[in-house]
Amino acid sequence: YRAGVPGGTPTASNPERLTMAEARITNLETGKVYRQTGYSMTAFETAGGGDQLTVSGRGYRSSGDWFQVATTTPLSSDADGDILGGAFTFTGAANSTATVTMVPGSALQATMRVNGAPVTGVPACR
C-alpha cells in the first residue's frame, strides 16, 4: 500500500495505490482454494469532492480456470456518493468477455453485456 499524500487528500496525480501480488481464499466447507494475483487499485478524491477508483487483477477458480478484471472507465461518484459512471471488463476462457457498466444515480445499479450481447431479464438487486 502506498499513500497518495501521507496525512493529506489523494489526488489524480498522486492517488492512493494498493497492490497485491497474491492472495489465497479458502472455503473452509469445501476446501476449495481461490487465488487472486496481480491486483492493483488506485483511488483519489475528485475536485468536486467525489471519488474515482480503478482496479485490475486476475482471479483463479479452484479448477485452474482464470478471469482477468480491468476498469475500462474509472468508477466515479459525486460528493454525495451517487454513482456518476464506470465500467469493468472481465475476460476469461477463449477471450470471452463480460462488461459491467454502472448506471448513474443514487442506487447501485449496472448493466451487463456478455461477448457484446446485453444480458436481459435479470431481476434488480435491492
Side-chain angles (χ1 to χ4, degrees):
Y1 173 79
R2 190 176 89 204
V5 182
T9 301
T11 63
S13 62
N14 200 7
E16 299 277 10
R17 297 177 191 279
L18 177 66
T19 58
M20 178 182 70
E22 182 171 346
R24 292 175 185 265
I25 301 164
T26 302
N27 181 320
L28 296 176
E29 290 185 25
T30 65
K32 291 182 178 181
V33 177
Y34 302 89
R35 285 180 54 220
Q36 309 295 316
T37 62
Y39 272 80
S40 175
M41 182 191 80
T42 62
F44 63 89
E45 190 173 303
T46 63
D51 293 297
Q52 185 168 305
L53 172 100
T54 62
V55 65
S56 64
R58 181 173 282 192
Y60 296 85
R61 295 174 48 95
S62 61
S63 65
D65 290 340
W66 59 269
F67 66 90
Q68 190 79 21
V69 61
T71 306
T72 49
T73 303
L75 176 62
S76 60
S77 63
D78 64 17
D80 294 326
D82 293 345
I83 298 296
L84 299 174
F88 302 90
T89 297
F90 298 83
T91 306
N95 289 319
S96 60
T97 61
T99 302
V100 176
T101 303
M102 306 309 294
V103 175
S106 60
L108 184 58
Q109 296 181 38
T111 61
M112 180 182 236
R113 296 178 85 78
V114 174
N115 295 327
V119 175
T120 59
V122 179
C125 296
R126 301 223 184 262

